[in-house]
Amino acid sequence: MDAAWIKKDFKPYQLFIDGKWTAPSGTVSIPVMNPATGEQLTTVPDANAEDVDRAVRAARRAFEIGVWRKMDVSKRERIIWRIGELIEKNKEELALLESLNNGKTYGEALRGDIPPTADIFYYYAGWARKIYGETIPVDGNFLNYTLREPVGVVGMVTAWNYPMLLAGWKVAPALAAGCTMVLKPSEMTPLTTFKLAEYCQEAGVPDGVVNVVTGYGPTAGDALARHMDVDKIAFTGSVRTARELLKASGESNLKRLSLELGGKSPNIVFPDADLERAAKSAFWGIYANKGEVCSAGSRLLVHEDIYDEFVGTLAERASKMKIGDPLDPASEMGSQISETQMKRILTYIDSGRAEGASLLTGGERDLEGDKGKGFYVKPTVFANVTPQMKIAQDEIFGPVLAALKFRDVEEAAEIANSTIYGLVSAVWTRDIATAHRLAQQIKAGSVWINAYNCFDSSSPFGGYKQSGFGREMGPHALESYTQVKSVWVALD
Ligand code: NAD
């Protein structure tokens, strides 16, 4: 994949407010990097509170005038569908942008990031005319019915690992519900969020409905979180930032929140499973997107009878993984997002060693060839991990697998539930009773049986415990972009 054709178009970005590229009021700009090469791609503004206020005012105006929420629903449906088509039409360009800016391989971006982003718009297009209230039988001589109305202006704050997909998961249901919005992508990966806003405009979304401000969390993000005229924040990111957002909501206008946070997900393998399939899934469950995946199967729980062989085979395969240039079709894994992230991962690896886990493979930065310009970490497998170790408790967000041993179903469930997180989980067995028992016992938003990383625009995704609250996708996401009004009419 030759990236030259796209790089020549890079110029310093402005903010996207009220349908126009708008100069920021401040002078601070943020370099947008290619982590695989250390090369600067462009810059984006660090929006300050004044810029954020301008974007929120544009969104508020659009909401109150009703340019979007009062538009004919069939027209809104077609516009949302058209956004999906534009994403699909430009999939190579978008995949290249994600790969250049994030360090993931081009193939992963082309297959994993872009198609589901298009699909989420196809899915929610039809919902634009299927969101409605109910009539309710009540005591007395009344007609009682409900109106399901959009929540209003939504601030969307997103992470860097699936930049466009995470934005799509929020923008599509918000548009279907009739909301207006201000997006604040991660300062590290803002490029495709701008593209998304451009496609919305091209598809026919009126100006002011979708606005993009870029900036650091404590500046642009905090200004959005504390704005008195933002009705909701839809967030994807870390638990640490979620706490800041909850505080900001409490100290401003009690805006509602939906939180998609981290995970430390258990992938549980029993001896009676299809072990070849389980091993393949466990491998990609941790190493896809260089382990920078909220749903990464970072804790592998293997039954004691097959532990040594299963974990050994996996480590063997990991040691042969092809790491390198994200644009080279032969590369299976690209560069971590940043030097900071790489150092964080390496610090966790050190802690695994210090706490007595056995390092089977990896465990260091990969500097082979010209990889020293990027932030490559070798796929790592730790065996003999115990549930209390730091590498079994904390979300590392890198290619580090912690393999734990269990005796029986009860112990598997206990270990699975032994972290603060509860995002996803998987169980590998041919015994349906074991599978369904664990599906009930595990405290996580998704349980995958004999599979890993199953996602569909129709099916809800989100966390238990400190993995957050609220759901992305499916009809469930619409709950958090709408509110219910009860209307009473006296009939006498
Ligand atoms: P992060 O919390 O550091 O940043 C996320 C976003 O919040 C960024 O846009 C950032 O600028 C902004 N932000 C930071 N501080 C802020 C503040 N004080 N006020 C307002 N906004 C602020 O997270 P990250 O490092 O970008 O992403 C990694 C995390 O995201 C991991 O924990 C990962 O598991 C999680 N994640 C979850 C999902 C999911 O769907 N559950 C998906 C992807 C990533």
Side-chain angles (χ1 to χ4, degrees):
M1 174 56 58
D2 176 14
W5 61 274
I6 201 168
K7 286 197 213 153
K8 71 178 168 22
D9 291 337
F10 285 145
K11 49 186 184 316
Y13 278 83
Q14 298 188 321
L15 306 170
F16 191 80
I17 298 176
D18 216 1
K20 288 164 219 60
W21 291 105
T22 308
S25 55
T27 53
V28 184
S29 64
I30 302 172
V32 179
M33 310 297 291
N34 177 345
T37 61
E39 159 197 31
Q40 180 173 320
L41 299 171
T42 181
T43 61
V44 293
D46 182 20
N48 59 26
E50 196 184 319
D51 298 320
V52 170
D53 182 56
R54 263 194 295 168
V56 173
R57 277 191 282 125
R60 172 58 61 191
R61 223 168 21 243
F63 185 78
E64 297 305 335
I65 295 168
V67 279
W68 179 244
R69 70 189 161 92
K70 291 184 188 162
M71 186 187 279
D72 279 353
V73 283
S74 61
K75 197 169 168 199
R76 283 210 278 132
E77 172 174 344
R78 282 194 295 274
I79 290 174
I80 299 172
W81 183 272
R82 175 96 184 104
I83 299 168
E85 287 180 331
L86 286 167
I87 293 167
E88 213 173 339
K89 188 175 134 202
N90 293 290
K91 60 178 187 289
E92 281 94 4
E93 180 185 349
L94 294 168
L96 185 53
L97 279 175
E98 294 296 46
S99 175
L100 284 176
N101 193 190
N102 169 281
K104 66 178 74 194
T105 66
Y106 174 75
E108 284 180 310
L110 189 66
R111 288 187 299 274
D113 289 54
I114 309 307
T117 312
D119 191 64
I120 199 76
F121 287 91
Y122 295 144
Y123 175 76
Y124 280 111
W127 273 106
R129 43 178 162 170
K130 296 184 188 74
I131 299 170
Y132 42 68
E134 324 133 280
T135 53
I136 302 170
V138 291
D139 282 353
N141 200 7
F142 292 100
L143 166 65
N144 178 229
Y145 65 93
T146 59
L147 296 173
R148 190 161 275 277
E149 300 183 331
V151 292
V153 175
V154 183
M156 300 174 175
V157 180
T158 48
W160 43 259
N161 57 337
Y162 286 89
M164 196 177 196
L165 180 59
L166 300 181
W169 280 357
K170 295 169 174 47
V171 173
L175 285 176
C179 296
T180 63
M181 58 217 76
V182 177
L183 285 91
K184 208 292 291 168
S186 165
E187 57 277 18
M188 287 190 272
T189 54
L191 304 183
T192 48
T193 303
F194 279 130
K195 283 279 173 204
L196 181 55
E198 288 181 303
Y199 298 151
C200 288
Q201 187 176 49
E202 190 179 336
V205 175
D207 292 349
V209 175
V210 177
N211 307 274
V212 181
V213 294
T214 45
Y216 292 113
T219 50
D222 188 62
L224 199 54
R226 289 180 182 275
H227 201 291
M228 294 299 287
D229 214 16
V230 170
D231 299 299
K232 168 191 160 76
I233 293 281
F235 175 68
T236 301
S238 63
V239 172
R240 184 183 39 79
T241 304
R243 290 188 203 287
E244 294 298 322
L245 295 174
L246 285 161
K247 211 187 311 165
S249 166
E251 289 170 3
S252 58
N253 62 343
L254 301 183
K255 54 179 69 64
R256 64 198 64 206
L257 290 161
S258 50
L259 303 174
E260 288 296 338
L261 312 179
K264 189 74 188 175
S265 300
N267 191 8
I268 307 171
V269 186
F270 285 86
D272 67 340
D274 178 340
L275 294 179
E276 211 179 301
R277 213 167 126 190
K280 201 169 165 205
S281 268
F283 180 84
W284 288 112
I286 181 65
Y287 299 124
N289 211 53
K290 357 124 200 178
E292 293 169 348
V293 183
C294 54
S295 61
S298 51
R299 285 188 300 149
L300 181 66
L301 276 57
V302 186
H303 189 272
E304 58 186 5
D305 289 353
I306 52 164
Y307 183 88
D308 290 339
E309 198 184 335
F310 191 87
V311 178
T313 310
L314 216 95
E316 167 82 15
R317 168 71 177 94
S319 68
K320 295 189 180 127
M321 199 173 185
K322 176 124 180 38
I323 318 165
D325 179 3
L327 301 184
D328 178 349
S331 297
E332 294 180 300
M333 190 163 88
S335 158
Q336 308 304 141
I337 183 74
S338 65
E339 186 170 15
T340 310
Q341 183 66 13
M342 179 187 70
K343 285 186 172 157
R344 195 168 166 257
I345 296 165
L346 295 174
T347 304
Y348 273 114
I349 291 174
D350 288 344
S351 94
R353 278 199 192 95
E355 286 191 278
S358 321
L359 180 68
L360 298 190
T361 188
E364 58 186 358
R365 183 176 184 180
D366 191 342
L367 290 163
E368 204 183 292
D370 63 354
K371 292 200 199 91
K373 291 189 211 142
F375 310 114
Y376 296 90
V377 176
K378 291 187 181 170
T380 298
V381 177
F382 274 112
N384 301 320
V385 178
T386 55
Q388 302 72 30
M389 288 180 185
K390 225 169 153 48
I391 55 166
Q393 287 292 322
D394 291 10
E395 183 186 47
I396 300 174
F397 226 53
V400 181
L401 183 69
L404 298 96
K405 202 179 283 184
F406 70 88
R407 260 188 326 273
D408 52 28
V409 177
E410 289 314 311
E411 194 185 24
E414 194 186 320
I415 298 173
N417 289 332
S418 69
T419 74
I420 61 164
Y421 295 109
L423 191 58
V424 304
S425 58
V427 180
W428 294 84
T429 178
R430 287 193 167 97
D431 181 332
I432 57 164
T434 299
H436 289 291
R437 238 171 90 195
L438 278 169
Q440 292 183 4
Q441 280 177 284
I442 294 173
K443 295 181 177 136
S446 299
V447 183
W448 296 315
I449 310 290
N450 295 326
Y452 205 86
N453 270 338
C454 310
F455 290 92
D456 191 288
S457 300
S458 316
S459 184
F461 174 70
Y464 274 40
K465 302 197 285 183
Q466 291 185 44
S467 289
F469 48 77
R471 291 291 177 268
E472 309 268 29
M473 300 187 277
H476 312 80
L478 293 168
E479 294 284 325
S480 66
Y481 294 97
T482 55
Q483 53 195 340
V484 178
K485 183 181 278 171
S486 180
V487 182
W488 293 73
V489 186
L491 296 177
D492 48 18

